[in-house]
Amino acid sequence: MSRPTPHPALRRLDILVGEWDMWAAGRSAGPFRVEFTWQEGGAFLVQRADVTPETSLPGPWADHAPFPTVSLTGYDDTADQFTILYADGRGVSRVYYGSMADRTWCQWRSAPGFHQRLTVTVSPDGTTMEGQWEQSADGDRWTTDFDVVFERRGKPQS
């Protein structure tokens, strides 16, 4: 059986492919192991995240850690945006939307009472990503939920 032909816009996500250590909340939580891999011949990007033996889960993280997590990202060519299906170890399942421009990945969802968005920027050398998750009750007034820093394990994919 042949594989689907990936939409060219998915190549914008090549910069994410590889293994990363992620830290959160001012580096008080982590490292979490994160891996981005292409599936179905590049038609979907899969992100998996989990704790490691070295992971620190302070305070509220210990009670509400979502790990393991998995996200499947595809591209909607009619909307010119990415669609992300997310599921985690708590049984949470969500749909996010995303964009990648100028080395900045944005991911968001709108839900009554709990809007979320993530913005991370990949460094020029492709070895780090830094940003933050934000939340809003109404979609207008946003507060930082927690910051994130990703450090690449090994060399960036070429």
Side-chain angles (χ1 to χ4, degrees), residues 47-61:
Q47 176 190 356
R48 296 182 190 280
D50 206 349
V51 296
T52 70
E54 303 82 32
T55 299
S56 170
L57 292 170
W61 284 85

Side-chain angles (χ1 to χ4, degrees), residues 31-136:
F32 307 106
R33 182 68 42 85
V34 179
E35 182 178 28
F36 293 89
T37 58
W38 288 113
Q39 298 292 308
E40 297 301 317
F44 299 100
L45 184 67
V46 177
Q47 176 190 356
R48 296 182 190 280
D50 206 349
V51 296
T52 70
E54 303 82 32
T55 299
S56 170
L57 292 170
W61 284 85
D63 296 331
H64 303 289
F67 302 103
T69 70
V70 64
S71 297
L72 180 67
T73 300
Y75 184 73
D76 182 344
D77 61 358
T78 61
D80 188 29
Q81 69 183 13
F82 298 96
T83 301
I84 303 105
L85 300 176
Y86 167 91
D88 69 30
R90 302 168 297 180
V92 171
S93 297
R94 297 184 176 148
V95 176
Y96 292 87
Y97 300 95
S99 66
M100 174 66 88
D102 300 324
R103 304 180 76 84
T104 298
W105 171 249
C106 297
Q107 180 175 316
W108 63 90
R109 70 186 277 271
S110 296
F114 189 48
H115 302 261
Q116 293 176 287
R117 65 185 181 196
L118 166 70
T119 305
V120 292
T121 300
V122 182
S123 65
D125 66 1
T127 62
T128 60
M129 293 189 284
E130 294 188 38
Q132 62 197 15
W133 274 100
E134 296 175 288
Q135 62 182 340
S136 172

